[in-house]
Amino acid sequence: MRLEVLRHWTTKLLKREITYYDYVMFLLRRIFVKMQTTYNTHLKKVNYIDRSQGKEVGVVILTGLYPITWDVVFRRVYEFSGNFDVTVLNAGGLNREKAIRLSEEFGFSYLEGTPNNYVALQNYYIMNSSHKIIIKMDDDVFLTNYTLKNLLDAYKRLREAGFDIGFVAPVLNVNNVTYYHFLKTLDLLSEYEALFEKAIFIRNWTKQAIWLDPQVARWIWERSLPLNETAEKFNYKNKEQIDVIPVRFSIQLILFEKSFLEFIGGMVSPGPKFLGDENPQETPQNNIKLPRLLVPFGDEESMNFFADIYIWQEDL
């Protein structure tokens, strides 16, 4: 807290231009912001095995939820990330032996942090990374030959055109926003709507069947295979196509600038996840009774919330 700001508020209090309650809230807000920013990278212990090679872009695989997919996911990352440095993030050391073994097998860096705070671990990597551009992906994302390359190309084209952007993300098949583009590209809209419901783009995104019904996800995945052939169709029909998404968006696979996260002080960390909790949103430490407009808790909420603020500040 700058001394002149504190002095100014104290003077206003002494002159009775503000109330004691105003003054206390001013102090608490400043203290909260400072502590939260520090807490965003708070980890008790970090284990880092560095195999980076000084590439332009860093790819981060956030592991934890789906170890059953790691063999396939890691293999596809290895096959399609020749020009990128890859780091495996393992918050809490879950399935440590498998994560370390696969990281070594494919030549990926490995970063483990305790306690099991996946937001803090992501922030720690980002703040200490030498890469100016970072692509974050979850451990259930299956890359194709075009995924990383097209993400980077789209980012560079937007930058060259003078656009300031929060992040760039690809079309994902099981996603409550981009599933519409997936269906449209593969001429599946009519079939989908006959079987399930009208496909809607950027409206009611938590009330759609793609969000609520596992059978819908299964149906879309069945029509996504073989994955490499589907990727070829997308690359041909949607080549160099970019759309603006004016709603909250998934960060399951996302490209952003390191400076964006540095500007906002990192994604807002809600604290560690407790092992054994099937729904982390209902655990005591995440069930915070604050109006959601006050603080965006978690990685996805932070990325979406701060994207507009970042661009607004850059435009001033």
Side-chain angles (χ1 to χ4, degrees), residues 43-49 51 61 63-68 70-71 74 88-105 108-117 121 139 275:
L43 293 165
K44 181 180 179 181
K45 182 180 179 182
V46 173
N47 175 30
Y48 182 42
I49 303 174
R51 299 187 179 96
I61 308 174
T63 65
L65 280 180
Y66 306 108
I68 193 174
W70 291 359
D71 292 276
F74 281 42
V88 175
L89 302 189
N90 186 0
L94 305 178
N95 298 280
R96 176 182 292 109
E97 291 184 4
K98 183 173 185 178
I100 290 178
R101 175 176 58 79
L102 288 174
S103 298
E104 183 177 7
E105 179 179 336
F108 300 159
S109 299
Y110 178 82
L111 178 62
E112 179 182 309
T114 53
N116 181 19
N117 189 333
L121 189 62
D139 58 359
L275 298 181

Side-chain angles (χ1 to χ4, degrees), residues 159-260:
R159 270 304 193 186
E160 289 170 1
F163 289 99
D164 243 343
I165 51 176
F167 48 78
V168 179
V171 169
L172 298 176
N173 55 356
V174 182
N175 176 278
N176 54 344
V177 174
T178 61
Y179 85 105
Y180 178 87
H181 296 283
F182 176 85
L183 296 172
K184 184 178 180 180
T185 300
L186 298 181
D187 299 318
L188 292 171
L189 273 173
S190 297
E191 184 180 353
Y192 177 91
E193 291 178 350
L195 287 171
F196 304 110
E197 64 179 5
K198 181 175 178 58
I200 301 175
F201 176 54
I202 66 171
R203 284 193 295 117
N204 302 322
W205 58 277
T206 60
K207 299 178 181 179
Q208 301 175 68
I210 185 66
W211 176 269
L212 300 170
D213 189 350
Q215 293 304 316
V216 174
R218 181 183 180 92
W219 183 89
I220 287 183
W221 262 114
E222 289 172 347
R223 281 145 187 84
S224 304
L225 304 174
L227 197 56
N228 289 344
E229 292 181 14
T230 301
E232 292 290 345
K233 295 177 183 177
F234 263 82
N235 194 58
Y236 173 75
K237 296 183 71 173
N238 292 347
K239 193 169 184 64
E240 297 187 353
Q241 179 177 330
I242 299 173
D243 287 327
V244 176
I245 307 296
V247 294
R248 172 174 168 174
F249 195 73
S250 165
I251 65 166
Q252 190 175 16
L253 175 57
I254 188 170
L255 177 150
F256 54 89
E257 296 178 356
K258 176 182 177 180
S259 59
F260 170 49

